Amino acid sequence: MPRKLFVAGNWKMNTSKAEAVALARALVEQIGSQEAVDTAVCPPFIYLTAVAEVISDSRIDLGAQNMFYEDNGAYTGEISGAMLTDAGCRYVILGHSERRHVIGETDEIINRKIVKALGDGLEVIFCVGELLAEREAHQTLDVVRRQVQVGLESVSRSDMERITVAYEPVWAIGTGVTATPDQAQEVHAMIRDLLGQTYDAELAESIRIQYGGSVKPSNAAELLHQADIDGALVGGASLKAADFAAIVQAGIS
Ligand code: PGA
């Protein structure tokens, strides 16, 4: 069975409440009823419930951008997986490069979060990707392999069905520089191969691997038509309803 494309918008630390609601409304109007591509939006925590209400009757799903690996307790400023499901989230993004490189999350921390999110019933968008220096040193495949292996440590095969991997080369995020379709395809194929070895061929064939890093309407079609690219994790362009809708459309046509 061909993999259904999955396009998610990572709004990062952007929008006011009014802007979040307006963006969600515009998306419901433009792509809220299409079924050809799975879609999700990931607003800041504090606007999750407001956006959940706007998209509730549409086919757009809700995701969060992060969570903590404990249930509750003295973890000032953190948010649990149960809180996310309570707010209406289906997905959570974990391992994003800004969490890794700005906040300092390690592969081990990301693994704890992934295991907890799956235990809490969430689906995970698990991000991996190399730094520019690592690409230039020809370490891309090794770095991404390690991130995948450690990040998914002890995740069962059945739980893997609730994982989407997002390959996001750090040098392409928010820079306007996109990996070429060939560069992206090479890493996506390696990830799929690795999942095949770790789990089995059927799982590897069914899992979705998104590309992220300066995806925009003008480059979406070319990327989405690569054999092992099954969608996109979109940052900057997800803040404009028309651009996000055009990226989704590129996956349909
Ligand atoms: P970008 O961000 O589309 O702005 O490059 C992608 C991401 O960080 O998920």
Side-chain angles (χ1 to χ4, degrees), residues 4 6 9 20 25 27 29 37 66 93 114 121 127 132 147 186 202 204 212 221 233 239 242-243 248:
K4 189 173 182 183
F6 175 28
R25 283 209 182 107
L27 289 172
E29 222 165 84
V37 173
N66 182 34
I93 299 172
I114 290 174
C127 306
L132 181 58
Q147 291 173 336
E186 180 192 21
E202 194 191 344
L233 183 55
L239 295 169
D243 284 2
V248 172

Side-chain angles (χ1 to χ4, degrees), residues 79-172:
I79 299 278
S80 72
M83 292 172 187
L84 297 184
T85 51
D86 200 21
C89 288
R90 174 171 176 177
Y91 298 101
V92 60
I93 299 172
L94 293 172
H96 190 276
S97 78
E98 287 141 24
R99 303 289 321 170
R100 292 177 187 269
H101 301 296
V102 182
I103 315 292
E105 289 187 10
T106 62
D107 287 321
E108 288 73 20
I109 290 173
I110 293 158
N111 172 248
R112 287 183 73 175
K113 291 185 173 192
I114 290 174
V115 169
K116 187 72 181 86
L118 293 167
D120 288 335
L122 288 156
E123 297 183 41
V124 174
I125 299 174
F126 167 38
C127 306
V128 294
E130 82 287 2
L131 297 163
L132 181 58
E134 292 166 336
R135 175 160 285 268
E136 287 175 345
H138 305 288
Q139 294 167 345
T140 298
L141 296 182
D142 288 341
V143 167
V144 173
R145 191 178 296 116
R146 187 206 70 230
Q147 291 173 336
V148 171
Q149 280 171 332
V150 181
L152 296 178
E153 179 92 49
S154 84
V155 174
S156 69
R157 190 205 183 282
S158 62
D159 278 348
M160 280 302 295
E161 291 171 9
R162 284 183 290 126
I163 297 255
T164 296
V165 179
Y167 169 58
E168 300 200 301
V170 180
W171 46 271

